[in-house]
Amino acid sequence: MQFGLLGTGFQLFGYEEKLQSNPLQHLFEVYVQVNKEAADDKNIAKLAREFFQRLELGDMQALSLWQRFRDLSIKEYSQIYKRLGIYFDEYSGESFYHKKSQEVLKLLDSKGLLQKTIKGTAVVDLSGNGDPSSICTVMRSDGTSLYATRDLAAAIDRMDRYNFDTMIYVADKGQQKHFQQLFQMLKIMGYDWAERCQHVPFGVVQGMKTRRGDVTFLEDVLNEIRLKMLQNMASIKTTKELENPQETAERVGLAALIIQDFRGLLLSDYQFSWDRVFQSRGDTGVFLQYTHARLHSLEETFGCGYLNDFNTACLQEPQSVSVLQHLLRFDEVLYRSSQDLQPRHIVSYMLTLSHLAAVAHKTLQIKDSPPEVAGARLHLFKAVRYVLANGMKLLGITPVCRM
C-alpha cells in the first residue's frame, strides 16, 4: 500500500530532475507529502489503492514506474552498503512474490484455512476459536495481497530454492507479532521447517539527528562521522604520516558507530550520542582501533629482532596471565554469539581485551628486556592483535594499522 501512495505521490508532486540527482531523498520527500495530503483528502487515498491494484494486476505503466524506483533505490543502497563492507548476493523484496501470493491463497483455501469476512477480506484464524488477536488478514476486499501473504510465499519459495538449515529474518521489533503469525501459519499449513525460521528483532536508535534535520539518512551519518574523525585526527601529529587519511577516518568512524550499536541487546532502544562515538578512551570503537594500531606499531618496531627467540614460560607477570586467560575465552564467546545471534558478547570481550592489553603495554616492557622475555611479550601482544582483528572483522569492522 505504501507503494501505491508513493506511485500516486510521484505522479502528483514528483520531479524527474530531482529523481535523477538524488533518488532516495526525493522519493522520501514525495512520500512524506503524499501521506500528509492523503490524511486530509480521501481521493488521494483512493488513487493510491487503485495504483496498488493496477500494480498487482500487472499494469505496464504502474510496473514501469515501480521498476525505476526499485532500480534507483538499489543502486543507492548498494553504494551505502559498500561503505559498510556489506554485499548482497540477491535482492528479492516483497514485490517479487506478488504473483506467488495468489498461489498461497489457493493453498490456504484448499486446506480449509481461509475464511471470508463480511467486509470481503480473507483471514486465517490461528487460534481456531475466533480469538480476534489471532486473526491474520491475508487478502484485501479488492483481492490484493498483504505483507503476510507475500511473506508466506517468500518463505515457501526460499525453502524450495535453498533447502535452508535456518532462515533468519532481521527486522525491527515492531514486527514481532507479524513473524510469530507467519511462522504459526506455515506450521498449520504443514511445513514443519517453520521451526527453523527465526526473527532477530532490533530496537530503535533515538536522538540521531544530523544537520539536515529530524529524519536521519545513514549516508549523512557516515559522512558526518568521517568528517569529524578527520578533524580529530588532524590534531594528532602522526596523522600526517597516513597514506590515506580519508580511508582511515572512514574505518575508525564505522568502528565507532558499529560498537555503539552492538554494545547492548539488539532488542533495546538506545540514545545515540555523538560525543560517546568520538571518545578515544573507554568502551568505544575508536579505542578498539587505537589498541589494534598501537599493537601493530609494536610489531613493526620490534618484530625483526624478537619474534624468533622466545620462551612462553617467561610470561609469569599477573598482567600476562590476565591477558592469556582472557584470550582463552575467545572461542567460548564466539559460540555464545552464534547461539543467540547477539554481537554484544564479542563487543564486551574485545573491549575487555583492549583494556587488559593497555595495562600490559604499560608494564611489560619489550625494549631493554632479555631477548626471550621480550620475544614472549611481543608474541603475547601479537596474539592480542590477531584476536582483536578477527573480532572486529566478525562485526563488520576493518581494522586499521595506523591512526
Side-chain angles (χ1 to χ4, degrees):
M1 197 53 205
Q2 286 91 333
F3 200 85
L5 278 164
L6 186 60
T8 302
F10 189 77
Q11 288 172 336
L12 294 169
F13 322 114
Y15 291 96
E16 193 57 40
E17 316 80 66
K18 285 187 179 181
L19 184 67
Q20 291 298 333
S21 63
N22 196 341
L24 294 187
Q25 180 70 36
H26 186 51
L27 290 175
F28 171 73
E29 287 163 358
V30 166
Y31 186 65
V32 169
Q33 191 174 352
V34 76
N35 269 285
K36 279 182 188 165
E37 301 285 338
D40 302 322
D41 186 344
K42 285 187 179 164
N43 190 45
I44 287 183
K46 180 171 171 279
L47 287 171
R49 280 193 298 275
E50 286 169 0
F51 188 97
F52 176 59
Q53 200 169 8
R54 285 186 3 241
L55 196 61
E56 287 245 305
L57 293 169
D59 175 81
M60 291 312 293
Q61 190 188 0
L63 274 173
S64 162
L65 191 61
W66 163 79
Q67 189 67 49
R68 284 195 63 220
F69 290 173
R70 184 184 189 274
D71 293 346
L72 285 165
S73 297
I74 286 177
K75 189 181 170 190
E76 291 280 305
Y77 291 146
S78 299
Q79 291 304 311
I80 296 165
Y81 278 119
K82 190 178 174 185
R83 287 178 72 176
L84 295 168
I86 296 168
Y87 300 88
F88 289 97
D89 298 310
E90 192 178 316
Y91 292 88
S92 63
E94 284 181 70
S95 51
F96 186 76
Y97 297 102
H98 83 274
K99 282 182 184 166
K100 289 178 187 282
S101 63
Q102 296 305 315
E103 294 167 25
V104 166
L105 291 171
K106 285 176 191 165
L107 190 60
L108 284 165
D109 199 24
S110 70
K111 289 178 180 286
L113 297 168
L114 209 60
Q115 298 174 14
K116 282 282 178 76
T117 67
I118 302 163
K119 293 177 182 174
T121 59
V123 301
V124 175
D125 176 10
L126 294 167
S127 67
N129 59 18
D131 176 1
S133 66
S134 297
I135 300 283
C136 184
T137 306
V138 289
M139 188 184 78
R140 292 190 179 89
S141 55
D142 60 8
T144 55
S145 64
L146 284 99
Y147 180 28
T149 336
R150 294 188 289 275
D151 250 0
L152 280 171
I156 296 163
D157 180 65
R158 285 167 187 159
M159 189 61 194
D160 289 344
R161 283 199 288 162
Y162 302 118
N163 190 24
F164 56 76
D165 295 310
T166 310
M167 177 154 63
I168 300 164
Y169 294 84
V170 184
D172 77 277
K173 64 182 180 183
Q175 299 195 46
Q176 277 178 308
K177 187 179 178 183
H178 163 77
F179 286 110
Q180 280 167 3
Q181 291 191 332
L182 174 71
F183 303 156
Q184 210 178 330
M185 260 192 289
L186 287 166
K187 270 184 209 166
I188 63 171
M189 287 170 82
Y191 297 113
D192 56 0
W193 49 260
E195 297 282 353
R196 290 184 262 151
C197 297
Q198 188 178 354
H199 173 215
V200 176
F202 56 84
V204 176
V205 183
Q206 295 157 335
M208 209 172 185
K209 292 184 181 178
T210 63
R211 295 180 196 122
R212 272 163 61 174
D214 288 353
V215 174
T216 309
F217 285 84
L218 180 57
E219 190 177 18
D220 290 346
V221 175
L222 297 181
N223 290 341
E224 199 154 330
I225 281 184
R226 184 175 59 193
L227 181 67
K228 286 190 178 180
M229 281 297 170
L230 270 173
Q231 289 166 350
N232 288 2
M233 284 160 52
S235 62
I236 303 162
K237 63 174 189 288
T238 52
T239 303
K240 297 181 181 72
E241 299 160 20
L242 292 176
E243 282 177 29
N244 192 337
Q246 288 264 359
E247 190 179 275
T248 302
E250 176 104 337
R251 287 176 178 178
V252 176
L254 279 175
L257 197 63
I258 289 168
I259 294 301
Q260 176 156 276
D261 204 49
F262 283 173
R263 272 183 65 194
L265 268 172
L266 289 181
L267 192 59
S268 305
D269 299 341
Y270 73 91
Q271 192 69 31
F272 179 83
S273 161
W274 284 106
D275 291 338
R276 195 166 66 240
V277 162
F278 298 116
Q279 282 172 6
S280 58
R281 289 283 181 270
D283 292 342
T284 66
V286 181
F287 177 54
L288 283 185
Q289 288 282 33
Y290 172 74
T291 306
H292 182 271
R294 200 176 180 193
L295 295 175
H296 186 270
S297 165
L298 206 60
E299 280 172 54
E300 280 192 326
T301 309
F302 298 107
C304 298
Y306 294 117
L307 278 175
N308 299 323
D309 181 18
F310 75 99
N311 175 7
T312 48
C314 298
L315 300 171
Q316 299 292 336
E317 306 83 2
Q319 295 87 348
S320 300
V321 174
S322 294
V323 171
L324 283 165
Q325 285 175 333
H326 196 65
L327 285 172
L328 285 169
R329 289 189 53 240
F330 190 44
D331 59 346
E332 166 203 322
V333 168
L334 296 186
Y335 178 75
R336 201 170 165 199
S337 274
S338 75
Q339 292 303 293
D340 67 4
L341 302 179
Q342 293 289 331
R344 68 195 174 107
H345 309 304
I346 300 172
V347 172
S348 170
Y349 172 86
M350 294 206 306
L351 289 166
T352 302
L353 182 60
S354 295
H355 287 298
L356 289 171
V359 172
H361 187 265
K362 278 181 190 168
T363 50
L364 305 176
Q365 296 298 317
I366 292 173
K367 194 178 178 184
D368 302 328
S369 295
E372 61 175 17
V373 173
R377 288 173 177 176
L378 194 59
H379 265 278
L380 181 68
F381 289 126
K382 189 176 181 179
V384 171
R385 186 182 68 77
Y386 272 13
V387 170
L388 276 179
N390 285 330
M392 282 198 268
K393 286 172 192 169
L394 280 172
L395 298 172
I397 297 167
T398 305
V400 300
C401 296
R402 289 184 178 81
M403 63 180 277

